[in-house]
Amino acid sequence: MCVKMYNMKTATVRQIQHNLNEVLGWVENGEEVHVFRRRKLVAKLVPAVASTVDSPDFLARAEKVWGERPGGKPLSEIVSEDRGER
């Protein structure tokens, strides 16, 4: 199906359409696959990198800075005033 060049798998768009499970298996095993259409490189399929870092807890950060309820007007009220709705 594909040619192995310099430790890199290659495939045409048509080959991927007919053998998607096989190509995804390569990617799952850590292979990078270069995808060609009419001899032109159009895409690279690379393994997904699992995120080891959790998203920051923005709510906890805000509570450390301003406490449980920050003072001032609610943001929705500020936006409404700016739009001339009130």
Side-chain angles (χ1 to χ4, degrees):
M1 175 186 144
C2 296
V3 179
K4 195 167 193 171
M5 296 174 46
Y6 306 105
N7 274 344
M8 176 185 351
K9 298 250 185 202
T10 63
T12 65
V13 172
R14 183 180 198 102
Q15 289 169 326
I16 289 177
Q17 288 173 332
H18 294 287
N19 301 293
L20 182 60
N21 285 334
E22 181 180 359
V23 173
L24 289 179
W26 295 340
V27 175
E28 287 175 344
N29 289 327
E31 297 270 359
E32 181 175 303
V33 180
H34 288 207
V35 182
F36 289 85
R37 177 186 287 147
R38 296 185 182 114
R39 298 183 198 156
K40 180 180 175 191
L41 180 65
V42 294
K44 292 180 186 179
L45 299 176
V46 296
V49 178
S51 176
T52 58
V53 178
D54 291 331
S55 299
D57 187 354
F58 292 110
L59 184 57
R61 287 182 181 183
E63 287 177 353
K64 282 182 183 177
V65 174
W66 295 294
E68 280 191 39
R69 271 201 98 147
K73 296 179 184 178
L75 183 57
S76 58
E77 188 176 325
I78 294 170
V79 170
S80 293
E81 287 175 1
D82 191 49
R83 291 179 178 166
E85 294 175 356
R86 288 189 179 183

